[in-house]
Amino acid sequence: MSQPPAHASDNCIFCKIAAGQTPSRKVYEDDEIFVFHDIQPWAPVHFLMIPKMHVASMAQVGPEHAGLLGRMMALAPGLAAEQGCNPYPEGGFRMVINTGAEGGQEVHHLHIHVIGGPRPWLKG
Ligand code: AMP
Ligand code: ZN
């Protein structure tokens, strides 16, 4: 197994998933982005997109992250379709970024939820 990168945050579960140290059901990976299925899906399709570098939340995002976040957003439609989201406009998907305790964030490594597939969903 590979070592976590130097910028990884100790004891961050998503840093460990991105480094392959904690198992996950991988959807996609490149040099800077890792995508995996949520362990408690709300819907037929529910995956998480994370930067490999540790960024705690959207609250820490600045102009230096614009390229990375743009690349993450731009990956989502293709992965959503591949994973079984039906075509827009009858189908579609939802993208959610919970931020901070009041924003409902439980894991403090920035992640984009991509949720979709035929309804009903468990929530949302
Ligand atoms: P949030 O409330 O936005 O921080 O969401 C965290 C999400 O991470 C939840 O939907 C969890 O089900 C998911 N999650 C937590 N641990 C894991 C894990 N080890 N593998 C996959 N998904 C996870
Ligand atoms: Zn992390």
Side-chain angles (χ1 to χ4, degrees):
M1 284 196 195
S2 53
Q3 289 301 307
H7 53 250
S9 183
D10 286 351
N11 296 320
C12 171
I13 179 79
F14 285 1
C15 281
K16 288 180 178 157
I17 285 176
Q21 292 188 318
T22 293
S24 69
R25 289 174 55 222
K26 184 166 88 176
V27 169
Y28 172 88
E29 178 177 16
D30 64 26
D31 287 351
E32 56 180 359
I33 298 164
F34 195 92
V35 183
F36 55 104
H37 291 281
D38 196 291
I39 207 166
Q40 286 189 294
W42 305 358
V45 177
H46 187 171
F47 59 84
L48 303 175
M49 313 183 72
I50 64 173
K52 287 187 172 177
M53 71 180 289
H54 183 83
V55 178
S57 82
M58 278 303 292
Q60 283 73 34
V61 166
E64 69 275 22
H65 301 107
L68 170 63
L69 284 182
R71 288 188 285 280
M72 291 173 71
M73 298 287 281
L75 266 175
L79 295 179
E82 245 175 60
Q83 293 302 316
C85 292
N86 289 315
Y88 174 93
E90 292 81 9
F93 50 88
R94 181 179 295 175
M95 295 174 71
V96 174
I97 310 179
N98 297 324
T99 306
E102 292 182 346
Q105 186 179 6
E106 290 178 356
V107 177
H108 290 264
H109 179 129
L110 176 62
H111 53 280
I112 305 175
H113 293 258
V114 180
I115 302 159
R119 287 179 178 267
W121 296 356
L122 288 181
K123 54 177 173 172

